[in-house]
């Protein structure tokens, strides 16, 4: 069993246009206030820098063009604490439904869930809004 934060945002552009921004890792600092830097040193990992200037290496689980980017990270292989973060784009009637979220698991999740939810939900929602504003201005 896990805990999840999931936010959906409608974007008035095609999935391909939204995906171009998501997949343009060098440009994250232009629009993303949560993940300020992202690079892919190899096929199986991502290096992320967060607004706190903290870096983390994540394992790529899925990277399907025009569809989904998903990565995993955690402490002690996820046993103590872990998460699977996802960014998905799907076509809807007037553009794109952007779904952004994370599934949390591990022993510490149960203890810290109220804090995670309170702190992370607004950050993830802000990331969705920033993506929407950036893509729709292009």
């Amino acid at each position: 069993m896990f805990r999840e934060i999931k936010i959906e945002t409608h974007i008035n552009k095609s999935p391909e246009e939204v995906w171009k921004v998501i997949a343009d890792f060098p440009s994250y600092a232009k629009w993303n206030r949560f993940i300020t830097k992202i690079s892919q040193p190899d096929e199986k990992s991502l290096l992320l820098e967060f607004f706190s200037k903290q870096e983390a290496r994540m394992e790529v689980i899925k990277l399907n063009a025009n569809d989904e980017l998903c990565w995993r990270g955690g402490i002690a292989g996820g046993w103590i604490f872990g998460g699977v973060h996802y960014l998905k784009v799907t076509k809807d009637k007037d553009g794109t439904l952007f779904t952004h979220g994370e599934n949390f698991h591990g022993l510490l999740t149960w203890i810290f869930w109220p804090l995670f939810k309170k702190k992370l939900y607004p950050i993830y929602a802000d990331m969705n809004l920033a993506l929407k504003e950036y893509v729709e201005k292009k």
Side-chain angles (χ1 to χ4, degrees):
M1 187 166 213
F2 60 87
R3 299 287 183 169
E4 181 177 27
I5 293 175
K6 178 181 176 182
I7 301 166
E8 296 180 326
T9 302
H10 174 79
I11 300 175
N12 294 312
K13 293 288 185 169
S14 71
E16 293 78 18
E17 291 171 289
V18 175
W19 186 260
K20 280 182 188 177
V21 174
I22 291 170
D24 184 8
F25 297 153
S27 295
Y28 266 54
K30 291 180 183 177
W31 64 271
N32 196 322
R33 297 179 285 261
F34 173 53
I35 302 170
T36 56
K37 186 177 178 184
I38 187 168
S39 61
Q40 189 172 12
D42 58 57
E43 280 185 13
K44 296 183 181 184
S45 61
L46 294 173
L47 186 59
L48 284 72
E49 180 180 279
F50 299 97
F51 62 93
S52 60
K53 300 298 180 194
Q54 181 180 8
E55 286 190 353
R57 185 177 286 272
M58 303 294 176
E59 175 190 0
V60 174
I61 299 172
K62 288 183 187 175
L63 181 53
N64 300 329
N66 298 313
D67 181 36
E68 183 175 11
L69 170 59
C70 187
W71 65 78
R72 171 179 32 221
I75 300 170
W79 234 91
I80 304 278
F81 173 76
V84 174
H85 200 108
Y86 55 88
L87 309 174
K88 297 179 185 178
V89 295
T90 53
K91 174 97 175 112
D92 70 9
K93 63 180 178 175
D94 297 331
T96 300
L97 179 64
F98 174 62
T99 306
H100 171 206
E102 188 157 1
N103 295 315
F104 297 94
H105 58 273
L107 297 174
L108 292 181
T109 300
W110 304 108
I111 296 167
F112 293 110
W113 176 245
L115 178 63
F116 291 158
K117 188 174 180 181
K118 181 180 178 181
K119 295 289 186 183
L120 292 178
Y121 189 90
I123 291 170
Y124 289 18
D126 183 62
M127 182 174 151
N128 280 33
L129 180 60
L131 176 65
K132 175 182 175 66
E133 290 172 351
Y134 185 78
V135 172
E136 288 181 354
K137 285 181 186 176
K138 288 186 135 219

